[in-house]
Amino acid sequence: MEPSRAGPCGRVLRGRATPPGPTPPPASRKVLGYTSDVLDLIANLVVPNQTKIVLLSLDGLGGLPDLRTGRSELETARLPHLNGLAARAACGLIRHVAPGITPGSGPGHLGLFGYDPLAYRVGRGVLEALGIEFDLHPGDVAARGNFCTIDDRGLITDRRAGRISTETCMRLTDRLRAVRLPGVEVFVEPVREHRFVLVLRGTGLKAHLSETDPQAVGTAPLPVRALDADSESTAGLVNRFVDDARRRLADAAPANMVLLRGFDQLSELPRFPEVFRLRAAAIAAYPMYRGLARLVGMEVLKTGGTFTDEVATLRQHWEAADFFFVHYKDTDKAGEDGDFPAKVAALERLDAFLPEIEALGPDVLAVTGDHASPAVLAGHGWQPVPVMLWSRYCGADPVTAFTERACVGGSLGVIAAQHLMPLVMANALRLTKFGA
Amino acid sequence: MEPSRAGPCGRVLRGRATPPGPTPPPASRKVLGYTSDVLDLIANLVVPNQTKIVLLSLDGLGGLPDLRTGRSELETARLPHLNGLAARAACGLIRHVAPGITPGSGPGHLGLFGYDPLAYRVGRGVLEALGIEFDLHPGDVAARGNFCTIDDRGLITDRRAGRISTETCMRLTDRLRAVRLPGVEVFVEPVREHRFVLVLRGTGLKAHLSETDPQAVGTAPLPVRALDADSESTAGLVNRFVDDARRRLADAAPANMVLLRGFDQLSELPRFPEVFRLRAAAIAAYPMYRGLARLVGMEVLKTGGTFTDEVATLRQHWEAADFFFVHYKDTDKAGEDGDFPAKVAALERLDAFLPEIEALGPDVLAVTGDHASPAVLAGHGWQPVPVMLWSRYCGADPVTAFTERACVGGSLGVIAAQHLMPLVMANALRLTKFGA
């Protein structure tokens, strides 16, 4: 008789669970062959179980020491619950792409979902479009747009136009919808604050395009360049759009110009619920992360705009899914604004929610982030990001604080982001062994 | 003149030994292209030396904390000699396949021998057949068999038939030898306790087959399914064998049914003695590990059924080889049985043998395992496994206990299994430098 074990919630965990029924379809493709493909391996090892998993992504989690105190945001904040969990969890650091490479939010999250971000590439434009539930068609070219401020000489003075209100954004995108381009449909959709999505629909469009956002102030927006011959005509169309937008926004300061980046077309990714055989639900107040979750096939749950809403949504849907991706945005926002105290406060606010999440009784709780956003960089950083993984089987390690410095000594070591999901699945007793 | 150094046993160690004469033949092949192949690199760097190496594999070594005490098997056991060696050795953790992936014993040991287990795959059936010295031919399909117990409804109540005696196993395999299948020869060979090997010999057989073992009790054995079109006819033959076996075993409870897994055909691996230029000997009481060592070309020494016998064999053959793979099974058996105290006792028994092994004066002594078998999981685990590597040149690190938690802080870090042999070879002063 095999021993069965009662899990934290009284559910029976089966370590030797039923093996796969039909072999799953090929679940991945290698685009660049840089690294081993975790999805190939994992898809053949997944077994069913009843365990519940929460993956909590604190956007832009990782930080850097404040130059005066020598302590990072995580080391400065009072985080009794995160640190308490770290003492019970297996800790480590996640490197999302490669040493020294700063991940965008797309690759950062794709990695956390188990997709090698060098092999599976998705542009920001597609993510933004999916995040607002825009019905993107194959062949559409999507770009992320920012309203920005330019001065009389055409030089950028604020890349986010003072974070105009979403209402203003909606009014101005209405103006841009009037832009007409030959042979293509133009869609301009507001996202939130200064952000919008541009979609061009037509035949023969290609998205191998440079960005217009110079990622700096005091310089002019760049013209779009085609990065291959096939994209030449699309580059011309986009530049016409930008010229027309400039004219239509001339009197709309501070939102008197647009910046476009992340040109992309829809690509198909292996479906997360099929690869991992999980009823997977995403809870995110911010559209882009909902879009990313939808792109990999997660069910996106309707939630409100605050983390209180997100935790309430988690509680309401607890029985309806096996895996919950829960996204917390405030950490990244503060980091990107270069506001060290705000990031500390965002961490402390999050910390207060942890007991509520733990009270639901997840069998596996993973806490990490999609990239660093150190306040001293006022932007994304390349630094590896703390991760902790708790389950009844996570093992012991010496780490007792959820900080960049302490997690160096954790038992997970420094791992590639795409190895987190296999660890999560193993701790959920949802993988059988490899080889005899 | 290069300095020469006297080794522990008075042998002269040549750190800058004669470089390779003729370039060795290509010593490896990449099957899947998952990872860089350590063997490719190493084969071109090996130089001769007189040093002696012992690789001691404690099967299923790694554990997890007992939920009541918070201490793992290694942390609970009294291990004066292992801990003493840890204080002098370079320590770390071995990850055999990838984070979160639980290794079978085959991939676990292939990794320790230097073979990337994702690139070199060997099924359990082939290993079991080699382990009993069965003369496996190219084209044969081999499977690992378990006698198991089923109830009146055909549902499995014990996957190991109460671990019947080897004598009973022999009697029952005699019955199964009478099974006749059209166009193929059927071999059924006892291994030990409830285990046997099934080999089908004929033309056109293929082994891309699903397993009949559902890896759980309370469910019926599964029919074999072909996983590709070429394996259809073999699947049909195996299912006929199983049906016939069920009839022939109907009165043989508790061993009244069979489970088959690890269908495989012989594949060629790079030969360990050629890649590493070592006279390599294997000492293992348990057949599967002898089979694995033979598969990579090690000489398998005749030994008895206890670890006392194994150490005596090591002593007797000390001058006849450069490299000794010594296998200890008891740790895994206790872990798989979910018996925490038995695993602690198995570790303590092993600890007592360490002085005898050290007294032989190996130049390099590596102690690790092929995978974790935490008693709380009652099976193989995905957790990285402690490793320690002693030589005069291993360097100092802060680790003074051979435990999962302590080895996190060791100088070896968390390494892939296939990187152990290069470290072993370097410490044996048997590798020249890479590049001029």
Side-chain angles (χ1 to χ4, degrees):
Chain A
M1 184 71 192
E2 302 278 345
S4 69
R5 301 179 291 280
C9 308
R11 281 189 300 281
V12 171
L13 308 180
R14 292 182 302 159
R16 314 296 189 86
T18 317
T23 305
S28 70
R29 45 181 198 153
K30 289 198 197 157
V31 175
L32 293 174
Y34 272 106
T35 57
S36 72
D37 196 329
V38 172
L39 299 186
D40 276 331
L41 181 60
I42 213 92
N44 290 305
L45 300 178
V46 176
V47 292
N49 207 331
Q50 308 300 315
T51 44
K52 295 272 186 195
I53 301 165
V54 173
L55 170 60
L56 176 57
S57 171
L58 312 188
D59 204 297
L61 170 64
L64 281 174
D66 178 88
L67 297 176
R68 288 162 302 126
T69 67
R71 291 198 306 274
S72 74
E73 297 91 325
L74 278 167
E75 291 171 335
T76 304
R78 265 200 77 251
L79 303 172
H81 302 115
L82 286 167
N83 290 337
L85 184 60
R88 289 174 282 134
C91 297
L93 292 169
I94 285 186
R95 184 174 281 144
H96 292 79
V97 183
I101 306 303
T102 296
S105 298
H109 274 105
L110 278 182
L112 296 184
F113 297 159
Y115 300 78
D116 176 352
L118 286 168
Y120 300 98
R121 304 204 180 185
V122 180
R124 183 84 177 217
V126 165
L127 292 177
E128 293 275 327
L130 291 168
I132 55 166
E133 330 259 338
F134 184 86
D135 181 25
L136 206 60
H137 293 190
D140 290 356
V141 167
R144 149 104 184 250
N146 270 19
F147 287 103
C148 69
T149 313
I150 54 174
D151 63 16
D152 293 347
R153 295 169 299 166
L155 306 183
I156 300 167
T157 58
D158 185 336
R159 287 178 50 249
R160 300 187 185 91
R163 290 193 188 273
I164 51 168
S165 70
T166 303
E167 291 66 35
T168 306
C169 179
M170 292 170 74
R171 199 167 34 78
L172 294 176
T173 51
D174 271 348
R175 288 198 197 180
L176 298 185
R177 282 200 190 105
V179 175
R180 294 285 170 264
L181 297 176
V184 299
E185 278 186 274
V186 177
F187 302 86
V188 187
E189 301 294 334
V191 177
R192 192 186 249 215
E193 297 176 341
H194 55 289
R195 298 180 177 183
F196 66 89
V197 171
L198 169 69
V199 176
L200 303 188
R201 179 169 296 163
T203 54
L205 294 174
K206 294 290 173 194
H208 205 195
L209 303 171
S210 71
E211 309 194 330
T212 79
D213 185 348
Q215 301 268 355
V217 296
T219 177
L222 304 167
V224 165
R225 286 175 297 104
L227 301 177
D228 61 23
D230 287 351
S231 302
E232 292 284 0
S233 66
T234 309
L237 291 166
V238 173
N239 283 323
R240 285 179 67 161
F241 172 85
V242 173
D243 289 343
D244 201 346
R246 184 198 307 260
R247 279 191 294 276
R248 289 172 192 268
L249 296 172
D251 64 346
N256 60 357
M257 182 51 176
V258 296
L259 297 173
L260 298 173
R261 50 189 170 120
F263 292 96
D264 195 21
Q265 294 179 298
L266 202 61
S267 63
E268 266 188 64
L269 292 169
R271 291 179 67 77
F272 184 96
E274 288 167 18
V275 172
F276 297 104
R277 296 205 214 169
L278 291 168
R279 294 176 302 162
I283 304 174
Y286 216 85
M288 215 264 278
Y289 309 95
R290 292 200 297 269
L292 186 51
R294 186 172 292 114
L295 187 65
V296 300
M298 290 186 200
E299 186 186 354
V300 176
L301 301 180
K302 195 172 157 57
T303 192
T306 70
F307 198 67
T308 305
D309 296 327
E310 291 194 26
V311 174
T313 302
L314 176 66
R315 193 179 306 108
Q316 285 151 21
H317 292 79
W318 187 247
E319 292 307 323
D322 310 307
F323 173 94
F324 297 89
F325 160 57
V326 182
H327 182 262
Y328 182 68
K329 179 67 180 171
D330 293 1
T331 32
D332 181 56
K333 205 162 169 177
E336 293 220 35
D337 288 343
D339 190 337
F340 194 99
K343 190 160 173 202
V344 169
L347 288 166
E348 293 181 346
R349 282 199 305 281
L350 182 283
D351 188 75
F353 284 100
L354 203 61
E356 282 187 65
I357 295 172
E358 290 197 77
L360 294 169
D363 298 291
V364 179
L365 175 56
V367 184
T368 187
D370 58 338
H371 57 78
S373 284
V376 301
L377 280 175
H380 290 202
W382 60 88
Q383 298 79 8
V385 176
V387 57
M388 59 181 160
L389 178 58
W390 175 87
S391 81
R392 289 163 63 95
Y393 312 106
C394 65
D397 74 16
V399 180
T400 59
F402 192 53
T403 66
E404 300 83 0
R405 203 175 325 221
C407 286
V408 169
S411 60
L412 298 180
V414 182
I415 57 172
Q418 62 267 32
H419 290 137
L420 179 62
M421 270 306 296
L423 284 163
V424 163
M425 292 290 286
N427 276 274
L429 304 182
R430 285 174 176 269
L431 293 183
T432 189
K433 67 187 171 201
F434 170 76
Chain B
M1 183 74 189
E2 299 280 347
S4 69
R5 300 182 290 280
C9 307
R11 282 190 301 281
V12 171
L13 308 180
R14 293 182 300 163
R16 314 295 187 89
T18 320
T23 305
S28 70
R29 54 190 183 138
K30 288 198 199 157
V31 176
L32 294 175
Y34 272 104
T35 58
S36 71
D37 196 331
V38 171
L39 300 184
D40 277 332
L41 180 60
I42 215 93
N44 291 304
L45 301 177
V46 176
V47 292
N49 206 330
Q50 309 300 315
T51 44
K52 295 273 188 195
I53 300 164
V54 173
L55 170 60
L56 177 56
S57 170
L58 313 188
D59 203 299
L61 170 64
L64 280 175
D66 178 88
L67 296 178
R68 287 164 304 128
T69 67
R71 292 199 307 275
S72 74
E73 297 91 327
L74 278 166
E75 291 171 335
T76 304
R78 266 199 76 252
L79 304 171
H81 303 113
L82 286 167
N83 291 336
L85 183 61
R88 289 174 281 135
C91 295
L93 292 169
I94 286 187
R95 185 173 280 147
H96 291 79
V97 182
I101 306 302
T102 296
S105 298
H109 273 105
L110 279 182
L112 296 184
F113 297 160
Y115 300 78
D116 176 352
L118 286 168
Y120 299 99
R121 303 203 181 187
V122 181
R124 182 84 176 219
V126 165
L127 291 177
E128 293 274 329
L130 292 168
I132 55 168
E133 330 259 341
F134 184 87
D135 181 25
L136 205 62
H137 293 191
D140 290 356
V141 167
R144 148 106 184 251
N146 270 18
F147 287 103
C148 70
T149 311
I150 56 173
D151 64 15
D152 293 345
R153 293 169 300 165
L155 306 182
I156 300 166
T157 57
D158 187 336
R159 287 178 51 250
R160 299 185 184 94
R163 291 193 189 272
I164 51 168
S165 69
T166 303
E167 291 67 36
T168 305
C169 179
M170 292 171 73
R171 197 164 41 75
L172 295 176
T173 51
D174 271 348
R175 287 196 197 181
L176 298 185
R177 282 199 190 104
V179 175
R180 296 284 169 265
L181 298 176
V184 298
E185 278 185 275
V186 177
F187 302 87
V188 187
E189 302 293 335
V191 177
R192 192 185 248 213
E193 297 176 342
H194 56 289
R195 298 181 178 184
F196 66 90
V197 171
L198 169 69
V199 176
L200 304 187
R201 178 171 297 163
T203 54
L205 295 174
K206 294 291 172 193
H208 204 195
L209 303 172
S210 72
E211 310 195 328
T212 81
D213 186 347
Q215 302 265 355
V217 295
T219 177
L222 303 167
V224 165
R225 287 176 297 104
L227 301 178
D228 61 23
D230 287 351
S231 302
E232 292 283 359
S233 66
T234 309
L237 292 166
V238 173
N239 283 325
R240 285 179 66 159
F241 173 85
V242 172
D243 289 342
D244 201 345
R246 184 199 304 262
R247 279 191 293 276
R248 289 172 194 271
L249 297 172
D251 65 346
N256 60 357
M257 184 51 177
V258 296
L259 297 173
L260 299 174
R261 51 191 170 119
F263 292 95
D264 196 21
Q265 294 179 296
L266 202 62
S267 63
E268 266 186 66
L269 293 169
R271 291 178 65 77
F272 184 95
E274 290 167 18
V275 173
F276 297 104
R277 298 206 215 166
L278 291 169
R279 294 176 302 161
I283 305 174
Y286 215 86
M288 216 266 277
Y289 310 96
R290 293 200 297 270
L292 187 52
R294 186 171 292 113
L295 187 66
V296 300
M298 292 186 198
E299 185 185 354
V300 176
L301 301 181
K302 195 172 156 56
T303 191
T306 69
F307 198 67
T308 304
D309 296 328
E310 291 192 28
V311 174
T313 302
L314 177 65
R315 194 180 304 109
Q316 286 152 21
H317 293 79
W318 188 248
E319 292 308 324
D322 310 307
F323 174 93
F324 296 91
F325 159 58
V326 182
H327 182 262
Y328 182 67
K329 178 68 180 171
D330 293 1
T331 30
D332 181 55
K333 206 164 168 177
E336 292 222 34
D337 288 342
D339 190 338
F340 194 99
K343 189 160 175 202
V344 169
L347 289 165
E348 293 181 345
R349 281 199 305 281
L350 181 283
D351 189 75
F353 283 99
L354 203 62
E356 284 186 63
I357 296 171
E358 290 196 77
L360 294 169
D363 298 291
V364 179
L365 175 55
V367 184
T368 187
D370 58 338
H371 56 80
S373 284
V376 301
L377 281 175
H380 291 202
W382 59 89
Q383 297 79 9
V385 176
V387 57
M388 59 181 162
L389 178 59
W390 176 86
S391 81
R392 288 160 62 95
Y393 314 105
C394 66
D397 73 17
V399 180
T400 58
F402 191 53
T403 67
E404 299 83 2
R405 203 176 327 220
C407 286
V408 169
S411 61
L412 298 180
V414 183
I415 57 171
Q418 62 266 32
H419 292 135
L420 179 62
M421 270 307 297
L423 285 163
V424 162
M425 292 289 287
N427 276 274
L429 305 182
R430 285 174 175 269
L431 293 184
T432 188
K433 67 188 168 202
F434 172 76

